[in-house]
Amino acid sequence: MDFHPDPSLASFRQEVRQFLQTQVPADLKGQPRSTRSTREQVMRWQKVLNAHGWGAPYWAKKDGGTGWSVPQILVFDDECAAAGTPTQDPFVQKLLGPVLNEFATPEQKAEHMPAVFNGERLWCQGFSEPGSGSDLASLRTRAELDGDHYVVNGQKIWTSYAHESDWIFLLVRTNPEVKKQAGISFLLVDMKTPGITVRPIRSIDDSHHLNETFFDNVRVPAKNLVGAEGAGWSITKFLLNNEHATTADLPVQKRYMQQLRQLATTQRVGGELLIDQPEFALKLARLDAEVQAIGMMVQRVAAMEQEHNPASHTLGSMLKIRGTELQQKISECLVEALGDYGAVAYPDPHEDLDPAQPLLPLQEVARGMANNMFFHRASTIYGGTSEVQRSIIAKMLFQL
Amino acid sequence: MDFNLNSEQQLLQDSVRRYVDKAYSFEARTALVNAKQGGSTGNWAIFAENGWLMAALPEEYGGLGGSLIDTALIAQELGRGLVIEPYLGCAVLAAQTLAAGGTAAQKERLLPLLADGSQRIALAYSEPASRGMPETVSLRAERDANGYVLQGRKSLVLGAVGAQQFIVSAQVSGAKDITLLLVDANSAGLKRQAMPLHDGTWVEELTFDGVQVGADNVLNGGLAALRASLAHGIVTQCAELVGAMEKTIELTAEYLKTRQQFGVAIGNFQALQHRIADMAAEMEVARSMLHAALASVENDDDATRQKTLSAAKALVCRAAKFVCGQGIQLHGGIGMTEEYQVGHYYKRAIVADLLLGGSDRHEAACAAALQSELRAR
């Protein structure tokens, strides 16, 4: 063990910082970090990154990525969040991309990779179905071979950003006769194909990122099958195993802590600053400590991932549970720090405001905070619920 | 940063674990606790022989020149075994106070004796009203022709039983800083009262009634030296608790696989699987915080370090109380018995939380630091 900071990481941080300062247009910076930026911003940001050779920060060099180590990736994410850049398309960067690198044919790579790098094609993920959330093996969307096309029928749900995506990667049942897991295949589908209907689901954070997606006799070229027919399950396991160190979304947590500090010194309670209230100071101190501990846990998982240590999976599950619980606590604390105004349903942060309308009290500060809090109720559900993670830990760590 | 043990660290961990497995089986430990001595001189001699007492002392004074990481590695293994020898009190707190605040002559004379185990010194800094925080000192040291005369009381001195000397924090009239003095354990006017703690360790309450101390017994450092040594103490305690949590979880996992209820091993029940997964996650968050504390001692300025250490003390102690408490819960009735190991880890966690400042006090210190930082903006 050695807790001296790695000097090469410090110089890497400088390099990233310099890129952000000198080569990123001002209007792509200074924004609060959210789960995903607008389609237009994601695409522009991707082009800026790609022009700099950083189009795929999470991938190996041989796949056209930067070949950065996991600790370097964390530094990159951290600096981007601090600078307030848009996000990248997480589905293609963290989930689909690695799958294509591993399993796609040269033709499939030639078809999709240039568009990925250049930010011309955004993706969504078609895994969950009504009735099969965490139990993916029970999915029922069918794909039947008809000549050189698959005909897809069925329904997907919780398809984040389907309404603004160009393509979807889809799990379908190609063989109902075999064992549940063995009958599943992995398909790439153009969202413009006739027969696809996207219906929005409004979520409790008052915004639209979720959808139901319906497939009605959708004809998909058979060449869009990734891997062999029936290999969908093992591809999915590969895909879901990809992300450990970034699961706590630490840059977002740090950003919220900054906002909390801001409120602590600007909001007043009974003639004194919020920070002078002992109970608030204590709460902030506890959150600070937890962010620090989770931050170090992220470093540990990153180091393990870098060494391909299998223990990174269980520690990653623990990080997922605790990191997402912390997101909930911090985002709740922000709303509480607003006092009475925490209860106000301010306009949705994505909504264009009528400049003629007077601002509501505290609107400039508080808009979006409650939305974040409500959104983070999903953190302990998506990417494998906390309950699923606990079962994984019990099984893998204790053989229970 | 590198989270893997290097070969020397691995050797150190292995050697302490081997000793704990051999000499500190639960039966052997119980016998030792029942002897009401707070450890054995034989064990202390082995500690010394193996170099554990000198691991983090400077080479020029008979130490091995290691770092706080070595101390943490030793402590973690001692925590796994619920070891009751006064490692924290004598080998860490007193030795590090001397290393940080002793005069060259004092260090030259005493540190080698601490390193080879031939002497024991204990740190008497805590008072009834200080609740573990070093800045509250009401014990008076009045100057006289021969040096100082001490009047007052020190509470819960860790490792005092069997110590030949104490390092005592005192307030000298008119002095701004507190003063640290070496006091002979047999001094006239010094009353010592030994008492056991819940975890089988022993402490002493010291009453100073006109105790005479020579002027050359004054250390160079004051509060700053004390804080430096308490930093080592807090990290030691956090590491011990991580070890205690590890062992509690191992024992519990084993129990879940063997204990049958309703015709199956109770580990088949999801409620219990999820509970032990939460215990493991809690431990790993606490271990991460221990690492953050080690990193802070290495890299940060004094104010940041104090804050991180306080945060670590509170977070790790709370985690240990949760994990060890749940260890009892998952064992059911057997976990409540004195003759079964798991309940003793909970006792250790409770004692650790109360010593060196409780979780509430340390969190309040963090909150106060945050208040002054933010107000200054």
Side-chain angles (χ1 to χ4, degrees):
Chain A
M1 282 197 280
D2 180 2
F3 294 99
H4 291 98
D6 177 352
S8 74
L9 270 188
S11 60
F12 176 72
R13 190 180 285 276
Q14 275 312 315
E15 187 190 344
V16 174
R17 215 170 265 182
Q18 197 172 3
F19 161 71
L20 292 170
Q21 274 166 10
T22 58
Q23 294 181 59
V24 178
D27 67 329
L28 279 184
K29 289 186 284 194
Q31 314 184 25
R33 193 34 88 107
S34 61
T35 37
R36 195 171 96 167
S37 310
T38 64
R39 177 180 163 91
E40 183 271 331
Q41 284 183 321
V42 171
M43 290 180 139
R44 270 184 66 209
W45 175 231
Q46 182 62 37
K47 284 183 200 301
V48 171
L49 284 172
N50 194 38
H52 194 67
W54 290 358
Y58 311 118
W59 304 353
K61 266 224 159 73
K62 66 173 172 58
D63 301 320
T66 52
W68 287 335
S69 67
V70 185
Q72 281 179 308
I73 288 169
L74 290 177
V75 167
F76 174 75
D77 284 349
D78 195 39
E79 287 299 316
C80 287
T85 66
T87 54
Q88 289 183 273
D89 173 358
F91 291 111
V92 80
Q93 289 288 337
K94 294 191 171 163
L95 301 173
L96 178 64
V99 163
L100 293 183
N101 292 332
E102 183 80 12
F103 301 102
T105 62
E107 294 73 30
Q108 287 169 336
K109 285 185 191 171
E111 154 76 27
H112 295 290
M113 285 310 189
V116 167
F117 277 98
N118 218 15
E120 280 155 3
R121 188 172 288 173
L122 299 194
W123 287 81
C124 58
Q125 168 182 299
F127 282 14
S128 293
E129 294 184 9
S132 56
S134 294
D135 178 17
L136 271 181
S138 68
L139 65 87
R140 284 159 44 191
T141 295
R142 301 185 316 278
E144 283 153 346
L145 204 53
D146 176 22
D148 55 357
H149 280 71
Y150 283 102
V151 180
V152 180
N153 278 289
Q155 181 192 354
K156 294 289 174 180
I157 197 168
W158 319 128
T159 23
S160 300
Y161 305 103
H163 57 296
E164 49 181 43
S165 294
D166 304 291
W167 280 67
I168 184 167
F169 53 101
L170 206 57
L171 287 183
V172 290
R173 185 163 302 285
T174 41
N175 187 349
E177 309 297 324
V178 293
K179 201 178 117 210
K180 281 192 303 183
Q181 282 84 348
I184 294 173
S185 298
F186 196 103
L187 269 186
L188 308 177
V189 182
D190 187 338
M191 289 294 280
K192 287 188 295 293
T193 320
I196 300 179
T197 313
V198 175
R199 187 183 294 166
I201 301 173
R202 200 89 187 158
S203 45
I204 59 168
D205 56 324
D206 202 23
S207 54
H208 173 204
H209 35 83
L210 298 174
N211 303 278
E212 288 179 287
T213 310
F214 298 89
F215 297 83
D216 182 17
N217 287 318
V218 176
R219 294 185 68 80
V220 180
K223 67 178 168 65
N224 287 5
L225 178 75
V226 179
E229 203 181 88
W233 187 253
S234 54
I235 294 175
T236 304
K237 278 207 298 197
F238 170 88
L239 169 148
L240 293 176
N241 259 337
N242 251 317
E243 199 189 348
H244 301 294
T246 52
T247 164
D249 222 344
L250 196 62
V252 175
Q253 317 233 33
K254 286 189 190 163
R255 160 88 198 159
Y256 289 166
M257 290 307 290
Q258 283 300 333
Q259 287 182 314
L260 262 180
R261 283 162 170 260
Q262 199 70 37
L263 289 177
T265 51
T266 50
Q267 302 303 304
R268 304 193 80 85
V269 185
E272 55 179 16
L273 286 175
L274 189 52
I275 189 64
D276 289 323
Q277 302 259 294
E279 64 275 16
F280 180 81
L282 196 59
K283 206 165 172 179
L284 195 52
R286 281 191 182 147
L287 290 175
D288 253 351
E290 231 176 303
V291 171
Q292 201 175 0
I294 292 292
M296 190 53 96
M297 198 156 161
V298 167
Q299 300 290 336
R300 291 174 59 202
V301 176
M304 284 183 183
E305 253 186 292
Q306 187 63 28
E307 295 159 7
H308 304 290
N309 179 342
S312 68
H313 296 236
T314 38
L315 202 63
S317 285
M318 296 180 199
L319 185 59
K320 168 74 169 57
I321 297 171
R322 298 300 296 259
T324 50
E325 282 173 357
L326 184 58
Q327 289 168 15
Q328 294 176 342
K329 274 194 265 186
I330 299 176
S331 57
E332 270 179 19
C333 186
L334 268 169
V335 172
E336 286 161 10
L338 298 170
D340 292 1
Y341 289 114
V344 175
Y346 291 101
D348 178 346
H350 302 292
E351 197 177 303
D352 289 327
L353 294 180
D354 176 2
Q357 283 289 325
L359 290 181
L360 298 172
L362 217 60
Q363 176 166 321
E364 280 173 306
V365 175
R367 190 183 179 200
M369 279 183 185
N371 306 71
N372 284 334
M373 171 185 70
F374 290 125
F375 172 76
H376 278 302
R377 298 316 304 178
S379 316
T380 48
I381 301 172
Y382 62 61
T385 63
S386 296
E387 288 67 32
V388 166
Q389 304 294 345
R390 289 188 179 100
S391 293
I392 291 173
I393 296 164
K395 191 168 167 211
M396 290 181 57
L397 200 56
F398 304 115
Q399 292 81 47
L400 290 174
Chain B
M1 282 184 285
D2 183 357
F3 298 96
N4 294 316
L5 299 185
N6 64 31
S7 57
E8 283 164 33
Q9 291 166 340
Q10 190 65 58
L11 273 174
L12 177 62
Q13 187 183 61
D14 292 347
S15 80
V16 186
R17 187 167 295 188
R18 261 200 313 277
Y19 156 80
V20 168
D21 285 347
K22 208 175 96 205
Y24 254 91
S25 68
F26 186 60
E27 294 68 32
R29 176 192 184 267
T30 305
L32 207 50
V33 169
N34 290 341
K36 298 181 188 296
Q37 304 288 316
S40 82
T41 48
N43 282 334
W44 198 250
I46 294 169
F47 278 34
E49 241 171 71
N50 291 336
W52 303 338
L53 303 180
M54 62 180 78
L57 290 176
E59 279 173 285
E60 57 201 297
Y61 302 116
L64 297 175
S67 74
L68 186 51
I69 295 175
D70 297 319
T71 305
L73 286 172
I74 294 168
Q76 191 174 309
E77 297 308 313
L78 300 182
R80 286 176 61 93
L82 290 173
V83 168
I84 62 168
E85 314 300 326
Y87 179 73
L88 172 61
C90 299
V92 179
L93 287 174
Q96 290 298 332
T97 306
L98 202 57
T103 65
Q106 287 163 349
K107 288 195 268 195
E108 217 158 291
R109 181 163 54 88
L110 293 173
L111 283 179
L113 301 178
L114 297 188
D116 70 16
S118 55
Q119 266 236 31
R120 289 196 207 183
I121 301 181
L123 177 66
Y125 80 99
S126 181
E127 299 189 5
S130 70
R131 301 225 170 182
M133 299 309 214
E135 59 278 350
T136 308
V137 177
S138 62
L139 186 138
R140 315 287 308 173
E142 301 297 340
R143 280 199 181 85
D144 76 353
N146 303 317
Y148 295 88
V149 180
L150 305 188
Q151 199 74 34
R153 185 173 156 201
K154 289 290 172 186
S155 60
L156 291 177
V157 179
L158 300 171
V161 177
Q164 285 85 35
Q165 291 188 77
F166 301 113
I167 299 172
V168 180
S169 63
Q171 192 64 57
V172 175
S173 311
K176 258 184 144 177
D177 195 4
I178 61 171
T179 300
L180 300 174
L181 305 108
L182 276 162
V183 178
D184 199 276
N186 300 314
S187 300
L190 174 58
K191 206 178 99 204
R192 301 166 57 180
Q193 182 187 15
M195 57 185 102
L197 304 182
H198 305 301
D199 66 348
T201 58
W202 282 70
V203 296
E204 281 181 1
E205 196 84 354
L206 306 182
T207 313
F208 296 79
D209 187 10
V211 173
Q212 185 75 50
V213 179
D216 59 352
N217 282 14
V218 175
L219 275 65
N220 271 338
L223 188 60
L226 207 44
R227 282 198 197 287
S229 125
L230 286 169
H232 284 249
I234 286 173
V235 166
T236 302
Q237 218 182 28
C238 288
E240 267 191 32
L241 291 177
V242 167
M245 284 188 264
E246 273 180 6
K247 197 64 199 264
T248 297
I249 290 171
E250 286 169 20
L251 287 169
T252 306
E254 203 45 51
Y255 189 74
L256 292 183
K257 282 183 226 174
T258 47
R259 167 77 171 146
Q260 305 268 322
Q261 285 268 269
F262 308 106
V264 291
I266 59 174
N268 286 300
F269 300 121
Q270 196 179 49
L272 305 193
Q273 292 175 359
H274 285 195
R275 184 60 58 91
I276 197 170
D278 279 334
M279 290 160 67
E282 187 77 21
M283 173 184 70
E284 292 301 347
V285 172
R287 193 199 304 277
S288 303
M289 193 74 217
L290 166 64
H291 290 169
L294 283 164
S296 187
V297 167
E298 208 69 77
N299 306 318
D300 289 342
D301 63 56
D302 193 49
T304 313
R305 185 185 314 138
Q306 288 302 330
K307 214 172 110 181
T308 300
L309 287 163
S310 279
K313 172 77 166 76
L315 190 144
V316 176
C317 283
R318 288 196 197 285
K321 286 205 292 193
F322 168 76
V323 169
C324 299
Q326 291 306 309
I328 297 178
Q329 178 69 24
L330 293 198
H331 275 83
I334 186 80
M336 286 298 296
T337 60
E338 187 70 14
E339 69 185 41
Y340 188 72
Q341 202 169 350
V342 81
H344 294 271
Y345 287 94
Y346 180 68
K347 287 189 172 184
R348 186 68 160 221
I350 291 291
V351 167
D353 188 21
L354 295 166
L355 299 177
L356 307 189
S359 291
D360 286 348
R361 276 222 79 182
H362 280 286
E363 273 174 349
C366 290
L370 203 55
Q371 283 179 325
S372 55
E373 180 201 328
L374 289 181
R375 277 190 208 120
R377 275 186 174 181

